[in-house]
């Protein structure tokens, strides 16, 4: 027997579900009576941070979300940007951190599955996936297992469903040891005319449930994801299990509905966090209607499920559609063709009430808005963390042997190639992948046009930990630079904001400051935030992860012939460094190598300069003056050169006025490019910020500096860079 | 040449094959669902990669019971050309149209990499546009591509020149580096690498085009 309303209030049964007494009281006030157990359960899911963004909304509101290209900004399943030719690109990223920590294979797999549904629910064909991962830096057996299983789960889902994984990133830092980050991004392409929204409008219209049956997996996952970790074993039942085969059928069928049955379809949304309740309540709320569902009609995997369980189950591969009355059979026939179970389970109502029937009994009768618009928002008074208020003194490195330092840096997991991990993802299915993972960004062509899309994910928690404002802006700049290096014009971003407990003043400060940095940078690059999600409470035993906004950015290449890659192409090409190098060592990999930590203030970043440098490089690429391009980040100039040398095993003989140490400085906003000898004059005229370093060629990497330099067989450096991670994970 | 690209629920390379054989190679190709029961009128049947029916059991173990399989068997027995790629190869071995089996890769992980392959037999209908000993690079993308057969079968395969492609650097533990084989009659071929992913310079190479051109040459008499 479910507890009575009075018992819920008396024994505060809402607390274990993550609701405060004030929230419970407010809900009762909205209802004009005490909620019953089912209603209180719905509230706990819908008022969780994961569904309501109650702590992050005031911050998300500060994001810049619209420009001339944006077709649809945040608030729907995914963001949509015009790419010309009547086409649009659709993209979104989502975190699956908590499930992946507890059950890494299924946690990661269902993260991929969930974001794919967001894309096709808009009417777009999913064409690419990316994954931004962060793990602990101590490769304990448990951590190795975690890394292996997260990668296996991403591959297990993405490879099977047939969406290429064309990019992403993996970073290692002590702060993620107990709390890994798994952020999945999906990109879709569609004709602009196919756009559809998740709305349930028109009294009498049908609500159709399609896909997997509802089971007891992932019940109340939304509130699980919105709390700190306690006991893993007890949490495991809150993790869902994925079925990529079902999702492939669902994708194809739903795209057929949006393409061929537009007149019958009112709206469609996936059942993600808080499952059936969030999808149905959000669809009704967006349209200003109510909805009545008969839970006896919901396909159920297990007997005796309660309304609470049915509504809050997060079983995967389920979609909810609103279909015009009279057209039900037409839509059900499409799903039948794909052997998918679909049922009419309810109707839209005009009165704005959310009603559920179970065994012929009315078990919920509340205003839809009590689940959606009425959720309160909170702010915390921010406080700057002590370490930021009093930063460590500037790090002054001494690099006597630059060759040995470079070898050691290349072996750091954050710099070494991640090939051992990403080669487990199918990067080429759909046969559109022009630039494979391992470059600065993945690139896919858009069939039927002369265009291509470049996509990247970037995050850098250790930088944000030192300076959330600059770090936030620099993460956006890093993403833009990665796209530019392929020849793409940055279009827009999606983000996953991964932080600790927002009720803590220091965490809230980090959140607020990084959002300020992100906003400033997105305006400077003309790349609005069109979608995203928030993952808070990433803490274990009171310790928060490094503040980690993950920026997923999409760029457009108008002309396939302008696509540029990282690798040196030909001996004789001239290497240029674009942008100024300073003594910027705080937070650098060199600092970590020499001191074991990242500390100090962040120096050397200037947003207008970074944008101007990027635009100059892009102009040169688009003018076909550049044969290879790479943006500089971890490990600085020296590491960047090895990365460029790797694809065709070509050395270089270079001279610079920089010091040994400056070869490893991480001054942001710099690029390395190569230019064919015939184009040198034209390039220098177009990019005055460029400094000539010398020619590509030979078997050695020689860099003469003012106090020494690097001289090593390029094959040795490449071997370290390519194999170091595999050795350490073996 | 008129080619059918079979499409099982869960196949994810059917569209890629259609693109490679149709617009790129220039043959007539169409998708045929796994519910079809008649394959007459086609010169070539392509069995695509993917995860047929989810492949939650052994790869291809469910697909071999698909409605189209009796028609495929009849088509092969009548001498029609059949090319199974990746999951298609797995399905053909499961169905008994080719000998051996595909096990989990040696390292038990999925591998997506370009692989150099040696063309062992350039006289087949699938490889006549190549030369014997030629090294071509095709992408692989599989978890279960580790070819296994008993010694007697392997020896027979070699004796009858049925080993068509071998890996230069065996990525998955396949017996005798085998990447692709034909049946004894030479009209049915299975291979783990993906030729349809190597038909456009834009996407990194055109080494796979020769397979489709070989088949067109055989089916159409002369291919320019």
């Amino acid at each position: 027997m479910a507890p009575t309303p009075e018992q819920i209030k008396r024994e505060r049964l809402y607390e274990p579900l993550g609701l405060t007494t004030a929230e419970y009281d407010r809900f009762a006030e909205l209802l004009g009576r005490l909620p019953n157990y089912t209603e209180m359960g719905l509230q706990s899911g819908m008022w969780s941070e994961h569904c309501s963004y109650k702590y992050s909304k005031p911050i998300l509101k500060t994001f810049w979300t619209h420009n001339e290209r944006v077709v649809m900004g945040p608030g729907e399943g995914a963001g949509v940007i015009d790419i010309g030719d009547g086409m649009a690109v659709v993209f979104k990223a989502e975190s699956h951190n908590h499930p992946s920590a507890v059950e890494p294979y299924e946690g990661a797999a269902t993260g991929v599955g969930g974001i794919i549904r967001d894309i096709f629910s808009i009417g777009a064909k999913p064409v690419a996936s990316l994954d931004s991962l962060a793990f602990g830096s101590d490769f304990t057996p448990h951590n190795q297992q975690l890394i292996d299983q997260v990668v296996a789960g991403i591959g297990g889902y993405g490879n099977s469903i047939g969406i290429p994984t064309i990019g992403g990133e993996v970073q290692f830092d002590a702060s993620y040891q107990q709390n890994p980050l798994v952020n999945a991004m999906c990109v879709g392409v569609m004709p602009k005319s196919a756009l559809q929204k998740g709305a349930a409008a028109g009294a009498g219209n049908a609500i159709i449930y399609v896909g997997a049956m509802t089971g007891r997996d992932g019940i109340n996952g939304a509130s699980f994801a919105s709390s700190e970790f306690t006991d893993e074993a007890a949490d495991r039942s809150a993790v869902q299990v994925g079925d990529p085969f079902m999702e492939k059928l669902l994708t194809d069928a739903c795209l057929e509905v949006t393409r061929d049955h537009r007149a019958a379809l009112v709206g469609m949304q996936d059942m993600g966090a808080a499952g059936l309740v969030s999808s149905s309540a959000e669809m009704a709320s967006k349209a200003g209607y109510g909805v009545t569902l008969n839970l006896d009609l919901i396909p159920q995997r297990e007997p005796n499920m309660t309304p609470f369980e049915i509504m809050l189950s997060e079983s995967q591969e389920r979609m909810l559609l609103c279909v015009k009355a009279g057209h039900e059979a037409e839509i059900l026939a499409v799903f039948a063709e794909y052997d998918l179970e679909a049922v009419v389970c309810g109707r839209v109502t005009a009165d704005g009430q959310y009603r559920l029937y179970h065994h012929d009994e009315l078990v919920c009768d509340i205003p839809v808005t009590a689940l959606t618009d009425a959720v309160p928002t909170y702010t915390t008074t921010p406080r700057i963390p002590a370490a930021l208020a009093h930063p460590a003194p500037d790090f002054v490195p001494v690099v006597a042997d630059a060759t040995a330092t470079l070898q050691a840096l290349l072996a750091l997991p954050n710099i070494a190639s991640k090939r051992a991990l990403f080669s487990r993802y199918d990067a080429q299915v759909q046969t559109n992948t022009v630039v494979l993972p391992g470059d600065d960004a993945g690139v896919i062509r858009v069939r039927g046009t002369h265009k291509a899309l470049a996509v990247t994910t970037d995050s850098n928690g250790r930088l944000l930990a030192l300076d959330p404002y600059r770090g936030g802006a620099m993460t956006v700049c890093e993403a833009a630079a990665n796209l530019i290096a392929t020849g793409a014009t940055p279009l827009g971003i999606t983000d996953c904001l991964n932080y600790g407990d927002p009720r803590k003043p220091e965490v809230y400060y980090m959140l607020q400051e990084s959002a300020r940095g992100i906003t400033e940078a997105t305006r400077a690059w003309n790349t609005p935030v069109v979608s995203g999600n928030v993952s808070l409470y990433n803490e274990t035993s009171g310790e928060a992860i490094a503040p980690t906004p993950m920026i997923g950015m999409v760029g457009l290449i108008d002309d396939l012939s302008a696509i540029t890659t990282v690798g040196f192409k030909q001996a004789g090409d001239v290497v240029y460094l674009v942008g100024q190098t300073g003594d910027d060592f705080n937070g650098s990999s060199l600092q970590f190598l020499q001191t074991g930590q990242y500390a100090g203030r962040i120096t050397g970043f200037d947003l207008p300069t970074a944008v101007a440098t990027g635009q100059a490089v892009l102009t040169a690429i688009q003018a076909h003056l550049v044969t290879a391009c790479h943006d500089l980040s971890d490990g600085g100039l020296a590491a960047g050169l090895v990365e460029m040398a790797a694809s065709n095993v070509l050395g270089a003989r270079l001279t610079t006025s920089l010091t040994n140490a400056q070869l490893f400085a991480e001054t942001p906003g710099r690029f390395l490019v190569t230019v064919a000898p015939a184009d040198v004059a034209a390039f220098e005229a177009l990019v005055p910020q460029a400094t000539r370093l010398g020619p590509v060629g030979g078997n050695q990497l020689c860099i003469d500096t003012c106090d020494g330099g690097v001289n090593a067989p390029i094959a040795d450096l490449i071997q370290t860079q390519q194999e170091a991670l595999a050795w350490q994970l073996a | 040449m008129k080619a059918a690209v079979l499409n099982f629920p869960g196949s994810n390379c059917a569209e890629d094959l259609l693109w490679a054989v149709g617009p790129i190679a220039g043959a007539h190709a169409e998708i045929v669902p796994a519910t079809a029961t008649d394959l007459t009128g086609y010169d070539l049947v392509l069995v695509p990669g993917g995860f047929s029916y989810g492949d939650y059991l052994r790869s291809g173990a469910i697909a071999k019971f698909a409605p189209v399989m009796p028609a495929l068997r009849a088509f092969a027995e009548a001498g029609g050309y059949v090319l199974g790629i990746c999951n298609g190869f797995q399905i053909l071995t499961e169905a008994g149209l080719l000998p051996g089996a595909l096990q989990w890769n040696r390292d038990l992980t999925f591998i997506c990499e370009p692989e150099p392959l040696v063309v062992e037999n350039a006289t087949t209908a699938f490889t006549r546009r190549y030369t014997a000993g030629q090294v071509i690079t095709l992408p692989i993308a599989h978890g279960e591509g580790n070819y296994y057969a008993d010694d007697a079968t392997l020896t027979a395969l070699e004796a009858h020149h049925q080993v068509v492609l071998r890996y230069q650097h065996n990525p998955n533990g396949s017996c005798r580096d085998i990447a692709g084989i034909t049946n004894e009659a030479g009209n049915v071929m299975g291979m783990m690498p993906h030729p349809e992913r190597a038909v456009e310079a834009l996407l990194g190479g055109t080494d796979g085009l020769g397979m489709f051109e070989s088949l067109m040459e055989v089916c159409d008499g002369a291919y320019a």
Side-chain angles (χ1 to χ4, degrees):
Chain A
M1 271 302 284
T4 63
E6 292 74 21
Q7 196 183 348
I8 294 168
K9 182 178 168 68
R10 193 172 58 244
E11 297 173 17
R12 297 208 292 270
L13 296 178
Y14 46 81
E15 281 185 344
L17 296 177
L19 293 168
T20 65
T21 299
E23 288 173 340
Y24 169 83
D25 288 346
R26 173 74 187 129
F27 191 62
E29 197 183 309
L30 288 165
L31 269 53
R33 60 178 167 80
L34 295 183
N36 65 33
Y37 190 67
T38 300
E39 291 163 342
M40 188 272 291
L42 302 187
Q43 185 204 359
S44 76
M46 294 300 291
W47 288 40
S48 69
E49 177 64 30
H50 207 82
C51 287
S52 73
Y53 298 99
K54 58 191 172 189
Y55 274 95
S56 47
K57 211 180 246 171
I59 285 172
L60 296 176
K61 274 192 183 147
T62 66
F63 279 153
W64 181 57
T65 56
H66 281 87
N67 72 356
E68 67 286 353
R69 278 187 183 271
V70 175
V71 177
M72 191 162 79
E76 282 291 335
V80 183
I81 293 183
D82 195 334
I83 58 169
D85 296 330
M87 305 284 283
V89 60
V90 180
F91 56 99
K92 192 185 182 199
E94 200 158 87
S95 56
H96 237 214
N97 306 335
H98 288 69
S100 302
V102 175
E103 215 298 84
Y105 184 97
E106 293 298 346
T110 55
V112 173
I115 198 65
I116 291 169
R117 289 193 295 282
D118 279 332
I119 300 306
F120 72 73
S121 71
I122 302 289
K125 181 185 181 197
V127 294
S129 287
L130 298 93
D131 303 280
S132 171
L133 311 178
F135 298 106
S137 46
D138 185 359
F139 292 153
T140 59
H142 176 261
N143 196 23
Q144 295 212 20
Q145 161 87 356
L146 196 67
I147 296 167
D148 177 68
Q149 288 300 296
V150 164
V151 170
I154 289 169
Y157 208 101
N159 298 346
S160 174
I161 198 169
I163 299 170
T165 300
I166 64 166
E169 61 180 331
V170 189
Q171 55 176 329
F172 304 97
D173 187 79
S175 87
Y176 309 114
Q177 193 72 33
Q178 306 295 331
N179 194 130
L181 302 184
V182 176
N183 292 180
M185 174 171 171
C186 188
V187 183
V189 171
M190 67 175 191
K192 257 167 73 179
S193 58
L195 181 73
Q196 80 85 37
K197 296 183 182 187
N205 284 339
I207 301 296
I208 292 181
Y209 169 114
V210 60
M213 290 192 282
T214 296
R216 288 193 171 96
D217 50 337
I219 288 175
N220 224 358
S223 5
F224 161 65
S226 303
S227 62
E228 199 185 321
F229 279 127
T230 45
D231 175 12
E232 279 192 17
D235 284 342
R236 198 155 293 145
S237 68
V239 180
Q240 318 85 331
V241 176
D243 178 356
F245 173 59
M246 173 74 81
E247 181 124 322
K248 181 161 194 327
L249 302 179
L250 205 51
T251 308
D252 293 346
C254 289
L255 286 176
E256 184 174 327
V257 167
T258 48
R259 188 181 63 234
D260 301 339
H261 301 272
R262 289 194 66 73
L265 182 67
V266 179
M268 183 191 311
Q269 189 162 325
D270 99 285
M271 291 188 225
L276 190 50
V277 58
S278 72
S279 51
S280 55
E282 284 173 11
M283 286 176 78
S285 168
K286 272 185 269 186
Y289 280 83
V291 68
T292 298
L293 302 178
N294 180 351
L295 303 192
D296 300 330
L297 300 174
I298 302 295
Q300 290 160 50
R301 197 187 297 150
E302 298 167 62
N304 306 321
M305 288 183 72
T306 64
F308 180 108
E309 291 170 327
I310 294 168
M311 296 309 293
L312 288 164
S313 160
E314 291 186 9
S315 291
Q316 297 290 292
E317 291 91 25
R318 301 178 301 160
M319 299 291 289
L320 202 64
L321 283 73
C322 179
V323 169
K324 280 187 191 145
H327 291 268
E328 296 87 344
E330 173 189 340
I331 300 299
L332 295 178
V334 174
F335 292 123
E337 241 177 76
Y338 289 86
D339 271 336
L340 288 165
E341 187 163 10
V343 291
V344 177
C345 64
R347 294 281 161 187
V348 178
T349 59
D351 64 0
Q353 282 295 106
Y354 193 80
R355 290 192 190 88
L356 303 176
Y357 286 90
H358 184 244
H359 297 345
D360 295 327
E361 201 182 311
L362 183 63
V363 294
C364 167
D365 188 2
I366 59 180
V368 168
T369 50
L371 295 174
T372 55
D373 303 347
V375 185
T377 56
Y378 303 111
T379 52
T380 307
T381 306
R383 186 167 65 222
I384 185 168
L388 267 63
H390 309 285
D394 288 345
F395 171 61
V396 183
V398 176
V399 177
D401 183 344
T403 303
T405 301
L406 177 56
Q407 280 280 11
L409 273 173
L410 292 172
L412 291 179
N414 280 326
I415 294 185
S417 166
K418 312 301 184 292
R419 190 179 196 90
L421 303 178
F422 66 67
S423 66
R424 293 167 63 181
Y425 309 142
D426 189 339
Q428 292 169 300
V429 64
Q430 297 192 13
T431 54
N432 288 317
T433 312
V434 181
V435 180
L436 292 163
D439 243 69
D440 281 352
V443 177
I444 46 165
R445 58 123 173 249
V446 181
R447 286 246 181 109
T449 73
H450 293 289
K451 293 175 177 170
L453 294 167
V455 207
T456 182
T457 67
D458 286 283
S459 56
N460 195 338
R462 57 187 188 275
L463 210 59
L464 274 284
L466 299 179
D467 188 335
Y469 166 67
R470 286 192 182 77
M474 286 163 74
T475 307
V476 174
C477 290
E478 174 66 22
N482 279 326
L483 299 186
I484 283 171
T486 68
T489 305
L491 287 182
I493 75 172
T494 182
D495 59 34
C496 287
L497 303 178
N498 305 282
Y499 293 81
D501 183 341
R503 294 168 299 187
K504 295 180 178 170
E506 287 84 0
V507 170
Y508 200 79
Y509 173 86
M510 292 298 207
L511 191 52
Q512 207 174 46
E513 281 298 285
S514 43
R516 191 164 71 86
I518 290 169
T519 298
E520 228 168 86
T522 51
R523 284 184 182 275
W525 285 104
N526 193 21
T527 53
V529 180
V530 296
S531 60
N533 102 319
V534 177
S535 172
L536 303 178
Y537 305 97
N538 288 288
E539 301 205 354
T540 309
S541 315
E543 273 299 306
I545 58 162
T548 314
M550 190 288 290
I551 303 294
M553 192 182 278
V554 175
L556 181 64
I557 297 168
D558 276 315
D559 171 7
L560 290 171
S561 71
I563 296 172
T564 304
T565 53
V566 163
F568 287 153
K569 301 297 179 306
Q570 201 161 336
D573 280 1
V574 180
V575 182
Y576 286 88
L577 173 62
V578 187
Q580 291 300 309
T581 304
D583 284 322
D584 302 303
F585 299 110
N586 297 335
S588 69
S589 296
L590 182 64
Q591 183 185 32
F592 180 75
L593 183 73
Q594 297 194 340
T595 69
Q597 59 169 345
Y598 304 99
R601 63 205 175 97
I602 296 301
T603 59
F605 175 65
D606 180 64
L607 181 57
T609 306
V611 173
T613 306
Q615 278 165 350
V617 169
L618 183 58
T619 306
I621 291 176
Q622 287 170 343
H624 296 95
L625 295 174
V626 171
T627 52
C629 184
H630 187 24
D631 98 287
L632 293 187
S633 56
D634 292 0
L637 171 61
L641 284 166
V642 177
E643 286 153 8
M644 296 184 83
S647 36
N648 295 312
V649 196
L650 275 171
R653 174 165 284 283
L654 313 173
T655 308
T656 168
S657 58
L658 300 175
T659 62
N660 271 358
Q662 284 172 334
L663 290 181
F664 310 103
E666 294 183 9
T667 310
R670 297 177 301 154
F671 293 83
L672 275 170
V673 303
T674 63
V675 177
D679 294 325
V680 158
F683 174 78
E684 288 180 2
L686 205 56
V687 188
Q689 303 96 318
T691 312
R692 191 174 179 149
L693 298 180
V696 171
N699 301 323
Q700 296 282 116
L701 178 64
C702 295
I703 318 169
D704 288 332
T705 62
C706 64
D707 55 348
V710 169
N711 192 351
I714 192 63
D716 292 359
L717 297 171
I718 293 170
Q719 189 182 19
T720 303
Q721 194 261 349
Q722 292 287 312
E723 298 177 10
L725 184 61
W727 297 335
Q728 292 171 70
L729 287 176
Chain B
M1 180 175 79
K2 194 175 172 198
V5 180
L6 293 189
N7 194 22
F8 299 86
S11 294
N12 62 31
C13 299
E15 294 289 337
D16 302 357
L17 263 170
L18 187 71
W19 172 259
V21 178
I24 302 295
H28 176 83
E30 57 198 29
I31 299 268
V32 174
T35 49
T37 52
D38 184 7
L39 293 168
T40 51
Y42 294 105
D43 302 304
L44 167 69
V45 175
L46 295 151
V47 191
F51 290 72
S52 48
Y53 303 93
D55 271 345
Y56 294 123
L57 296 176
R58 217 169 50 239
S59 293
I62 302 293
K64 76 176 167 194
F65 298 112
V68 77
M69 291 312 280
L72 181 65
R73 203 177 300 276
F75 179 82
E77 278 164 8
Y81 293 111
V82 178
L83 174 58
I85 297 165
C86 201
N87 192 219
F89 187 12
Q90 294 161 343
I91 292 168
L92 294 179
T93 58
E94 281 292 331
L97 287 168
L98 288 171
L102 284 311
Q103 311 185 96
W104 259 98
N105 294 345
R106 182 181 47 214
D107 295 339
L108 302 180
T109 57
F110 190 97
I111 307 171
C112 178
E113 291 279 4
E115 280 301 329
L117 306 162
V118 180
V119 180
E120 288 286 318
N121 182 347
T123 65
T124 75
F126 305 89
T127 52
R128 56 194 292 161
R129 300 281 284 197
Y130 302 108
T131 52
Q134 185 182 345
V135 176
I136 59 174
T137 299
L138 300 180
I140 61 164
H142 58 246
E144 295 171 52
N146 177 355
Y147 183 76
Y148 178 82
D150 59 34
D151 277 335
T153 306
L154 292 169
T155 304
L157 281 174
E158 288 179 338
H160 298 120
H161 306 289
Q162 289 170 250
V163 177
V164 180
L165 298 169
R166 280 191 220 265
Y167 299 108
Q168 210 169 35
H169 315 292
N170 193 337
N172 54 21
S174 290
C175 288
R176 303 195 190 178
D177 305 329
I178 287 172
I181 57 169
T182 63
N183 62 352
E184 202 175 335
N187 67 315
V188 178
M189 177 165 176
M191 60 191 292
M192 289 312 297
H194 287 272
E196 81 279 15
R197 296 187 182 187
V199 296
E200 293 179 84
L202 176 70
L203 306 188
T206 56
D207 282 1
L209 204 50
M211 298 211 66
F212 307 115
E213 290 176 346
S214 296
L215 286 158
M216 288 164 74
E217 191 174 274
V218 170
C219 295
D220 298 342
Y223 178 77

